[in-house]
């Protein structure tokens, strides 16, 4: 994909499986007429598919256009006359929805669907779907990529070897930063959904104790070998590692703040692969720069892409990756396959993964 692309332009001689999506045509026992299918538009497909994946299965479902990126002022013109629109970060506001009378389906190329004005979609009879649980293991893996980079300083020691420090060592080994073992430490998890539960299992495999804040009851957690924290204050006070996996709501915005960071151990590590605004970034930067806590790892920030003035980018012992935890080839393949299956199910009259 590079810029604008057209798919499904050729006339397809296929069995009419989706009659409501054809502009016309007829079928009898002897022949099938040539037909064109309704318009499908992908408004920002680049991050899901920068060119290493295929949209071929979507091409078989309709004629339309695909765009790497779409600016806000381009949305209405590009989606004009489309019955199906797929978006990732493009906002489908009430104003946009009102301007697209042909629109009947919005497929979000992600799990979160806050880019869609759900009230407006419902008022206009538009189905909205998402792609749940496609990146669970990829995101859980990134949690431990950050954690192990912090505890074992892999990047630091790789650079040290390349710069000749090991070769110049008097001893058989060389280390100038502390190394830390995870076994026996407490992993504190906020939110025990698919990703949080995967993180808990991996933590246990490392020999860590797991404590969580979750809507699940204490008895259910006990069967998983997890203890239930009764408050954020308890969790922050006991966790050696804090990992965030809860939705962003008004209640969870800035749940990591100065007051709670002050409760943490000076050796504590904060990992955020959830949502950027879960953290008060000024407060976390201050805690890192003053040595209030040991380190932080993050794959998300409050504004993306960030400005150069984001306090975490230059903070001491803060490791940031550019929102890529979800983006393994395997996870993106599942994302695209599920998104196309969602469109097909909608066409067949039994939509799946519908959000309300």
């Amino acid at each position: 994909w590079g810029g604008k692309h057209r798919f499904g332009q050729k006339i397809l001689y296929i069995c009419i499986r989706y009659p409501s999506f054809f502009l016309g045509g007829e079928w009898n026992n002897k022949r099938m007429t040539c037909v064109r299918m309704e318009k499908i538009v992908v408004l920002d497909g680049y991050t899901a598919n920068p060119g290493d994946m295929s949209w071929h299965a979507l091409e078989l479902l309709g004629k339309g256009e695909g765009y790497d990126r779409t600016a806000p002022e381009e949305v209405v013109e590009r989606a004009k006359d489309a019955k199906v629109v797929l978006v990732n970060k493009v906002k489908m506001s009430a104003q946009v929805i009102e301007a697209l009378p042909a629109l009947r389906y919005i497929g979000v190329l992600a799990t979160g669907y806050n880019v869609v004005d759900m009230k407006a979609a419902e008022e206009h009879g538009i189905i909205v779907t998402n792609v749940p649980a496609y990146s669970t293991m990829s995101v859980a893996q990134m949690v431990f990529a950050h954690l192990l980079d912090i505890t074992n300083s892999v990047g630091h020691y790789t650079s040290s070897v390349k710069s000749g420090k090991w070769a110049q060592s008097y001893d058989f080994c060389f280390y100038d930063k502390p190394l830390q073992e995870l076994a026996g430490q407490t992993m504190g998890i906020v939110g025990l959904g698919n990703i949080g539960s995967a993180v808990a299992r991996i933590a246990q495999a490392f020999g860590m104790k797991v404590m969580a804040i979750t809507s699940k009851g204490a008895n259910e957690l006990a069967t998983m070998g997890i203890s239930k924290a009764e408050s954020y204050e308890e969790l922050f006070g006991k966790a050696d590692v804090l990992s965030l996996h809860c939705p962003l709501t008004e209640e969870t915005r800035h749940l990591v703040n100065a007051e709670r960071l002050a409760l943490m151990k000076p050796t504590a590590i904060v990992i955020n692969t959830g949502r950027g605004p879960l953290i008060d970034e000024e407060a976390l930067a201050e805690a890192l720069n003053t040595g209030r806590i040991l380190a932080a790892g993050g794959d998300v920030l409050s504004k993306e892409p960030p400005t150069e003035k984001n306090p975490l980018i230059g903070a001491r012992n803060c490791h940031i990756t550019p929102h890529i935890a979800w983006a393994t080839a395997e996870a993106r393949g599942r994302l695209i396959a599920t998104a196309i299956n969602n469109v097909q199910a909608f066409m067949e009259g039994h939509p799946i993964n519908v959000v309300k």
Side-chain angles (χ1 to χ4, degrees):
W1 281 48
K4 174 181 175 181
H5 306 267
R6 294 184 181 275
F7 53 80
Q9 292 297 307
K10 62 186 177 181
I11 294 175
L12 303 174
Y13 291 85
I14 58 174
C15 178
I16 301 178
R17 296 178 62 190
Y18 319 112
S20 66
F21 260 66
F22 285 92
L23 294 178
E26 93 186 60
W27 168 264
N28 59 37
N29 291 331
K30 295 181 180 179
R31 67 181 178 86
M32 179 171 59
T33 61
C34 299
V35 295
R36 280 188 188 273
M37 291 176 282
E38 291 284 8
K39 185 176 179 181
I40 300 173
V41 175
V42 182
L43 287 175
D44 56 336
Y46 183 82
T47 52
N49 180 11
D52 59 344
M53 301 284 167
S54 173
W55 294 102
H56 178 67
L58 189 62
E59 296 173 12
L60 300 178
L61 298 178
K63 67 182 181 69
E65 298 170 353
Y67 300 89
D68 286 348
R69 302 168 187 88
T70 296
E73 65 272 15
E74 298 173 319
V75 173
V76 172
E77 179 60 29
R78 289 182 173 183
K80 183 175 60 178
D81 301 324
K83 186 166 285 189
V84 171
V85 168
L86 301 184
V87 298
N88 187 337
K89 297 300 183 184
V90 170
K91 294 189 183 302
M92 300 297 289
S93 65
Q95 184 178 5
V96 167
I97 290 171
E98 179 70 31
L100 299 173
L103 185 62
R104 290 294 173 268
Y105 175 92
I106 300 171
V108 182
L109 298 171
T111 302
Y113 48 91
N114 57 312
V115 296
V116 180
D117 187 315
M118 294 300 296
K119 181 180 179 182
E122 183 178 3
E123 289 174 352
H124 288 79
I126 296 169
I127 296 290
V128 180
T129 67
N130 72 339
V131 182
Y134 71 94
S135 62
T136 296
M137 296 312 301
S138 293
V139 176
Q141 181 175 307
M142 181 61 83
V143 170
F144 286 88
H146 273 290
L147 182 54
L148 293 171
D149 186 43
I150 292 168
T151 60
N152 291 69
S153 299
V154 175
H156 167 77
Y157 283 113
T158 297
S159 297
S160 295
V161 171
K162 289 183 176 181
S163 68
K165 289 185 178 180
W166 190 18
Q168 298 162 10
S169 174
Y170 291 108
D171 304 304
F172 72 93
C173 65
F174 166 80
Y175 57 93
D176 59 358
K177 288 186 69 174
L179 300 165
Q180 186 176 345
E181 187 173 88
L182 293 177
Q185 296 196 21
T186 296
M187 168 68 81
I189 299 176
V190 180
L192 212 58
N194 290 324
I195 297 173
S197 295
V199 169
R201 293 191 299 270
I202 297 170
Q204 289 168 333
F206 272 104
M208 300 182 77
K209 296 173 284 188
V210 178
M211 172 178 282
I213 281 205
T214 172
S215 58
K216 293 180 172 66
N219 291 337
E220 181 180 357
L221 293 185
T223 65
M224 303 164 65
I226 299 172
S227 59
K228 185 177 178 70
E230 297 302 328
S231 66
Y232 285 122
E233 287 67 31
E234 180 185 7
L235 188 72
F236 277 66
K238 292 183 178 179
D240 295 293
V241 181
L242 181 72
S243 193
L244 307 179
H245 303 287
C246 60
L248 175 63
T249 66
E250 285 308 309
E251 290 71 31
T252 61
R253 184 178 297 274
H254 287 189
L255 73 87
V256 177
N257 55 35
E259 292 76 15
R260 288 171 179 155
L261 286 165
L263 301 173
M264 301 191 80
K265 302 173 185 178
T267 54
I269 298 167
V270 174
I271 307 287
N272 186 16
T273 57
R275 293 289 183 266
L278 296 174
I279 291 178
D280 180 336
E281 292 171 341
E282 292 283 355
L284 179 57
E286 177 71 13
L288 291 166
N289 291 334
T290 60
R292 174 58 262 175
I293 66 170
L294 176 64
D299 189 58
V300 290
L301 292 173
S302 58
K303 177 177 171 51
E304 298 174 347
T307 67
E308 294 179 356
K309 295 182 179 180
N310 185 293
L312 292 181
I313 292 178
R316 167 191 163 275
N317 241 7
C318 190
H319 306 252
I320 305 292
T321 48
H323 204 146
I324 55 171
W326 67 279
T328 61
E330 294 81 3
R332 288 186 294 109
R334 288 189 293 270
L335 170 66
I336 290 172
T338 303
I340 294 172
N341 287 340
N342 286 350
V343 174
Q344 180 171 337
F346 168 69
M347 290 180 171
E348 292 176 339
H350 51 84
I352 58 175
N353 294 320
V354 176
V355 295
K356 296 182 179 179

